[in-house]
Amino acid sequence: MAFSQADIDALKKAIGLGVVKVSYADGRSHEYRSLEQMKEILRMMEADVAGTASAEPRVVTIVSGRDW
């Protein structure tokens, strides 16, 4: 789903007010489970608006061998 700056602003406002229910400009509303969930969604929204796939790059290290 594509997010807008208005979505980000609404979520930031809700986080600042300490509420878990957010109403967005297009009429959608969502009740989040926790502040941590809201922060994770905010990072995802910001990454989407910035045009990146993820807010934080992921690094995967694969280790192989018998003596590990």
Side-chain angles (χ1 to χ4, degrees):
M1 172 177 191
F3 297 102
S4 68
Q5 186 60 47
D7 294 335
I8 291 170
D9 294 342
L11 186 53
K12 283 183 175 180
K13 183 178 179 181
I15 290 170
L17 293 172
V19 297
V20 294
K21 187 169 184 178
V22 181
S23 296
Y24 296 100
D26 64 359
R28 292 175 295 127
S29 65
H30 187 82
E31 188 163 344
Y32 294 94
R33 292 185 301 262
S34 67
L35 177 61
E36 288 306 313
Q37 182 190 27
M38 294 171 81
K39 289 179 178 179
E40 179 63 30
I41 296 296
L42 178 60
R43 284 189 291 274
M44 184 181 73
M45 286 180 171
E46 290 173 332
D48 185 63
V49 169
T52 59
S54 131
E56 298 177 16
R58 294 182 184 217
V59 177
V60 176
T61 304
I62 300 173
V63 178
S64 176
R66 288 177 12 130
D67 295 332
W68 187 77

